[in-house]
């Protein structure tokens, strides 16, 4: 395998930094006093980050999403994880359940 030259390394590091910054997901508490983003905006942010970072599988989207939850939203997540038959790695199901629980609180 050929060694990378300095310009290639710099380019790879710049690309990596760009992906890292553009996929930074804000925390979501499920509390309007603490949240700087709505539930719908969080879902859109996850989906955009998935496109940028090439998260091509539902499990990665769900993992990134669940890692952003705190407070009441984290309690909701624990509830769906324990719900019989609920697949916490199915992005469409997770997204629908989350929006059903939190999107109406912001309208």
């Amino acid at each position: 395998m050929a060694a990378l030259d300095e310009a290639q390394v710099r380019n790879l590091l710049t690309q990596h930094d760009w992906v890292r910054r553009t996929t930074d997901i804000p925390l979501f508490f499920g509390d309007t006093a603490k949240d700087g983003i709505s539930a719908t905006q969080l879902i859109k942010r996850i989906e955009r980050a998935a496109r940028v970072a090439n998260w091509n599988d539902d499990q990665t989207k769900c993992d990134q999403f669940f890692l952003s939850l705190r407070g009441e939203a984290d309690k909701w997540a624990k509830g769906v994880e324990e719900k019989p038959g609920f697949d916490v790695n199915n992005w469409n199901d997770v997204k629908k359940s989350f929006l059903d629980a939190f999107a109406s609180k912001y309208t």
Side-chain angles (χ1 to χ4, degrees), residues 30-80:
D31 179 344
T32 56
K34 293 181 181 178
D35 291 325
I37 189 169
S38 72
T40 302
Q41 290 169 325
L42 177 64
I43 293 298
K44 288 179 182 178
R45 181 72 184 237
I46 294 282
E47 291 180 336
R48 287 182 181 126
R51 284 192 301 274
V52 168
N54 292 316
W55 301 336
N56 295 319
D57 61 295
D58 279 4
Q59 184 174 356
T60 303
K61 286 181 207 172
C62 291
D63 287 347
Q64 293 292 331
F65 167 73
F66 283 117
L67 288 170
S68 73
L69 303 180
R70 301 291 188 275
E72 291 301 313
D74 190 47
K75 288 178 188 174
W76 165 84
K78 286 177 176 55
V80 297

